[in-house]
Amino acid sequence: MLRRRFLSSLGSAAAGLGSATAGAGADLGPGFRLVDATQAAGLRFVHNSGAAGRKYLPETLGPGCAFLDYDADGWQDILLVNSTDWPGRSRMRSTLKLYRNNRNGTFTDVTKAAGLDIEMYGMGVAVADYDNDGYPDIFISCVGQSRLFHNTGRGRFVEVTRSAGLAGHEGLSTSAMWVDFDRDGHLDLLVANYVRWSPESDVFCSFDGKVKSYCTPEAYRGATCWLFRNRGNGTFEDVTAKAGLLDTSSKSLGVALADYDNDGWPDLFIANDTQPNKLYRNQRNGAFSEVAVKAGLAFSEDGRARAGMGVDAADLDNSGLMSIAVTNFDNEMLGLYRGSRSGAFVDLAQKSGLGMTTRRSLGFGCFFFDADLDGRLDLLVVNGHIDESISRARHDVTYAQPPHLFLNTGNWSFRDVAPLMSPEFAAPKVARGAAYGDFDNDGDLDVLVTTNNGPAFLYRNDVTNGNHWVRVKLTGTKSNRDGIGAVVRYEAGDMSGARTVKSGSSYLSQSELPLTLGLGRREKVDRLTVAWPSGRTEEYKGIASGRRVEIVEGKGLI
């Protein structure tokens, strides 16, 4: 059973690595390029998984990354999560890294000055202003005790894990996100946990019965996610059971905010590995009901629980309906679910062509973003296997794998343009986390990718098609200050779309909070509405392209 996914029949994989449906205009260039800017930007980072031959399960899972504006200067900074050596073995000190944006295409390592040079076995990151003071705070999910760092607003962070009431919750924690599930204006915290694991309970798994390999999660018991409610005074209470999220069978890796029923209350999607995915519908009374089976999101089309890892949720086709992407193990292919007004989802991965293209890939980080600024959301998926010895057991699968970048050509048609990006971007990697953000403030979305036990990569997006954009930053007053959960709907000529401000998504990672509205060649946003988490709706008209606007709840554009 433990070897099932590694040694599964090669027949279905041998069906071929198809190309996603091309659609009209597929012979044209993509209109943008992702260029490796890592070295030029000054990012000198190598992830330390702590691997020393024991094949401990957490070693193959991380790390995550984030774009964040930690000093509130309007420029996106970068945070890279790191792990460390296991107790009893010490090679070198390794900590996460915080890089401040120098506003000229380069970054400066400010980890020590920011008070973040602390060793921990980090996995993921979630960033938000949980105390509404104007500065984003950082939560790092860890093996053992996860950590919460409060931003003082003076360039430094202070660890407040214990005083915030989060100490004592220890596990193999993975993705996390900030979400105001009760819409009281204070951000709550959802933390995913993978399995019950410790060095003492580590299990021996092997391809050949002799050499140890990394186990699948089937070797371990599951673990519940945690939901912490923000009391509004700097402390949190564990409401996991009260809210209906207590489930010790789950093996969770990815989390996403998904208001799939469009009622203005945030629902929660959780991607599970070898267990059914979960969709928690917000009951608007502090509790959730689990509806994934009814919604068609729990299993694959043939009724199997897949290896859910990364996830994102968005209005992919500008229909007003939620779509959800879930990355899975090799031989399982990507899940691409389109919602309906009845609340049921249909997996369109095969129909759209993404299924066959991703069949041989083992996906981790993924996200929807408008890479070419044409107003349609595209999909990035980064890949990499979990064991460097996989090629000895599976000759059709490699450890390092190239990414997929699916350009949305409309009508549920996509083409993989990753090979048309820079050679550095298209190169095979053992990728894990992925996030997007406009680090150079030129209006298009750049990409950050981490690799397991390897470097992080920053790719600058150079849009060459002449498409226009508007950037929107929301500041809540009655709502949480980041506006997380707010939905921005916009119309520009014959085009309309919707974007949600969200924490979480992808895998162990977080993208920037400001929204980018791609306009194609249109010169302005004719009409823009903001549906705030507080219930307030605001409307604005005639926003010219190329503008960066901040909308303050109740006060308008500034």
Side-chain angles (χ1 to χ4, degrees), residues 399-416:
Y399 183 45
Q401 300 178 357
H404 299 299
L405 179 49
F406 295 110
L407 196 65
N408 186 344
T409 56
N411 297 316
W412 289 90
S413 177
F414 300 85
R415 59 182 177 129
D416 189 354

Side-chain angles (χ1 to χ4, degrees), residues 62-79:
C65 58
F67 280 107
L68 73 163
D69 184 8
Y70 89 98
D71 51 2
D73 68 347
W75 292 75
Q76 292 297 312
D77 310 300
I78 286 174
L79 187 143

Side-chain angles (χ1 to χ4, degrees), residues 252-470:
S252 305
L253 289 173
V255 296
L257 185 158
D259 181 12
Y260 80 101
D261 53 3
N262 287 323
D263 68 351
W265 289 76
D267 309 305
L268 311 175
F269 181 84
I270 299 177
N272 284 318
D273 190 355
T274 70
Q275 293 293 312
N277 297 322
K278 304 292 184 181
L279 176 63
Y280 291 99
R281 184 174 185 270
N282 197 321
Q283 300 291 98
R284 313 185 199 181
N285 60 1
F288 294 82
S289 58
E290 206 288 294
V291 297
V293 173
K294 180 180 179 181
L297 291 168
F299 304 101
S300 66
E301 285 191 305
D302 56 359
R304 293 185 304 110
R306 292 188 283 188
M309 297 183 189
V311 60
D312 199 9
D315 180 0
L316 181 57
D317 57 357
N318 294 334
S319 65
L321 299 172
M322 184 69 66
S323 295
I324 296 177
V326 184
T327 59
N328 295 301
F329 215 76
D330 70 87
N331 242 3
E332 292 183 337
M333 74 185 184
L334 178 88
L336 184 64
Y337 302 91
R338 184 181 190 268
S340 66
R341 304 208 180 275
S342 69
F345 287 78
V346 176
D347 191 348
L348 296 181
Q350 294 236 47
K351 179 182 177 181
S352 66
L354 272 62
M356 289 304 297
T357 308
T358 58
R359 185 172 291 277
R360 286 187 184 172
S361 303
L362 198 166
F364 277 92
C366 69
F367 53 73
F368 296 115
F369 73 135
D370 190 354
D372 57 353
L373 300 176
D374 67 348
R376 293 189 291 254
L377 290 174
D378 312 300
L379 176 62
L380 175 71
V381 181
V382 299
N383 307 299
H385 219 281
I386 64 170
D387 198 307
E388 70 276 8
S389 60
I390 184 62
S391 60
R392 295 202 298 268
R394 295 275 306 281
H395 299 298
D396 65 323
V397 177
T398 58
Y399 183 45
Q401 300 178 357
H404 299 299
L405 179 49
F406 295 110
L407 196 65
N408 186 344
T409 56
N411 297 316
W412 289 90
S413 177
F414 300 85
R415 59 182 177 129
D416 189 354
V417 298
L420 303 180
M421 301 294 105
S422 62
E424 296 85 359
F425 176 81
K429 302 174 184 65
V430 187
R432 294 294 184 260
Y436 64 81
D438 181 13
F439 82 85
D440 51 1
N441 270 355
D442 65 352
D444 53 36
L445 294 172
D446 312 301
V447 172
L448 183 64
V449 177
T450 62
T451 63
N452 184 256
N453 224 31
F457 297 93
L458 178 64
Y459 299 103
R460 188 186 67 246
N461 190 349
D462 294 335
V463 172
T464 58
N465 57 20
N467 284 347
H468 301 146
W469 49 269
V470 167

Side-chain angles (χ1 to χ4, degrees), residues 489-497 519 524-529:
R489 296 180 175 88
Y490 69 107
E491 300 171 5
D494 59 344
M495 182 187 73
S496 63
L519 304 180
K524 64 178 180 177
V525 172
D526 297 307
R527 181 170 177 263
L528 182 149
T529 62

Side-chain angles (χ1 to χ4, degrees), residues 472-496:
V472 179
K473 177 187 176 185
L474 299 185
T475 299
T477 52
K478 186 177 180 182
S479 303
N480 68 86
R481 189 177 178 96
D482 287 325
I484 288 174
V487 178
V488 171
R489 296 180 175 88
Y490 69 107
E491 300 171 5
D494 59 344
M495 182 187 73
S496 63

